[in-house]
Amino acid sequence: MNGGFTMAPEVLFVPTMGALHAGHGDLIRAARKMADGLGERPAHVVVSIFINPTQFDEASDFDAYPATPENDLKLAEEAGADAVVFPSVSEMYPEGVPVSTERVDYGALTSSLEGGKRPGHFDGVVAVVRNLMAQVKPRWAFFGEKDWQQLAVIKRLVQLEFEGVEVVPVSTKREPDGLAMSSRNRRLSGSDRRGASALYSALKRVAESPDPPLKCAEATAALESLGFDVEYFSVAQGDSLESEWVSGKMRVFVAARWGGVRLIDNVACRQ
Ligand code: PAF
């Protein structure tokens, strides 16, 4: 109680599509740590689990997306969540799942890289995050840097539509061999799983080279010689996704299919 009034709890929000892994654990722990640091202010760490149909550009990817609700609950609780919500499709889309969602145009943020390769993907992400934010009303929302472009798109959405909400980025969690943790990795088996780490090695080689844009074609050819089907391997500014070189701002981004799975990753350029 504060002067006779009960303070409304602050909400620290971790939106996910489930199939939680240690990378999600880091997001939830970051939210827990911040909540615990708020002192007397009541705070709730809320995790949502909703496999959003409108952000999948391939029906087969949506069908294959793993659902592991019991494991998710356990992981979320152990990482410090106060509540885990599982919205239904009809709660998120009361008028039915739209065939296409409202077009979102944030320039290069939505048109480059993932935006170019997955038409409609960011339209679906923005639609669902907008809806979740409106319902959960967070003060802070946590997103992983593995989906860097998504993070940049959501920062723009929040800047435009959710005054007072802060987006908190959380570093990519990697396996010991460097592979970025992802719910889709569980579809990689045996030698495919081992071979997948070549993606991170290629990213690092390019990011640490004196001229990363020059090295992208070479890295693409090297990955393709191993059997990767590379969709893009490019350098862009981390905040705007524009491709002009600005020292200190650049990141290397890759998307490639390997072992039947589409993998994405990114790292900062050294300079
Ligand atoms: O990153 C994800 O898991 C999803 O894209 C998100 C942000 C939960 C929206 O469905």
Side-chain angles (χ1 to χ4, degrees):
M1 294 287 274
N2 177 12
F5 293 98
T6 305
M7 289 169 83
E10 301 282 15
V11 174
L12 299 94
F13 184 35
V14 184
T16 80
M17 296 206 297
L20 302 187
H21 50 69
H24 294 109
D26 278 4
L27 291 172
I28 300 166
R29 270 186 294 279
R32 180 75 268 151
K33 191 168 172 208
M34 187 184 275
D36 291 346
L38 294 175
E40 295 298 293
R41 282 155 75 189
H44 291 162
V45 173
V46 176
V47 175
S48 68
I49 296 183
F50 178 66
I51 307 178
N52 174 34
T54 65
Q55 71 186 75
F56 288 83
D57 49 317
E58 288 171 14
S60 56
D61 191 26
F62 177 61
D63 293 341
Y65 203 86
T68 59
E70 273 140 44
N71 184 61
D72 292 350
L73 269 178
K74 186 164 177 283
L75 189 148
E77 191 180 5
E78 283 170 5
D82 295 302
V84 181
V85 293
F86 291 83
S88 65
V89 172
S90 60
E91 280 168 323
M92 296 304 293
Y93 297 106
E95 277 148 38
V97 177
V99 179
S100 63
T101 38
E102 186 193 331
R103 176 106 214 289
V104 179
D105 183 359
Y106 296 160
L109 285 181
T110 45
S111 64
S112 69
L113 307 180
E114 289 297 284
K117 292 293 173 190
R118 304 184 65 190
H121 168 65
F122 287 126
D123 301 341
V125 169
V126 166
V128 80
V129 172
R130 179 188 279 136
N131 192 345
L132 287 165
M133 295 275 206
Q135 297 192 47
V136 175
K137 300 191 183 5
R139 169 73 182 80
W140 292 277
F142 295 73
F143 294 89
E145 290 185 347
K146 167 167 173 292
D147 295 303
W148 184 280
Q149 190 174 359
Q150 168 178 278
L151 171 66
V153 167
I154 289 167
K155 279 185 183 165
R156 179 63 56 86
L157 166 72
V158 165
Q159 181 193 30
L160 293 173
E161 300 183 22
F162 293 93
E163 204 188 335
V165 178
E166 225 173 285
V167 171
V168 184
V170 177
S171 311
T172 304
K173 182 106 172 164
R174 297 186 180 280
E175 301 286 357
D177 66 359
L179 179 67
M181 289 194 183
S182 162
S183 304
R184 290 180 176 87
N185 291 356
R186 63 183 77 203
R187 283 159 45 197
L188 289 170
S189 55
S191 59
D192 284 340
R193 165 62 196 85
R194 286 191 293 282
S197 65
L199 204 66
Y200 178 58
S201 311
L203 267 182
K204 267 204 321 190
R205 261 198 321 278
V206 171
E208 286 165 13
S209 78
D211 189 350
L214 197 69
K215 287 284 171 195
C216 287
E218 199 179 292
T220 301
L223 285 172
E224 287 183 343
S225 73
L226 294 172
F228 284 84
D229 178 6
V230 179
E231 291 190 1
Y232 58 78
F233 199 125
S234 326
V235 175
Q237 295 173 34
D239 50 359
S240 65
L241 273 291
E242 298 283 358
S243 54
E244 291 76 39
W245 182 273
V246 180
S247 281
K249 279 194 163 196
M250 307 309 286
R251 298 188 77 82
V252 193
F253 296 86
V254 67
R257 289 177 195 270
W258 171 254
V261 181
R262 187 173 186 275
L263 301 169
I264 63 169
D265 199 356
N266 71 91
V267 297
C269 289
R270 199 173 52 186
Q271 39 176 349

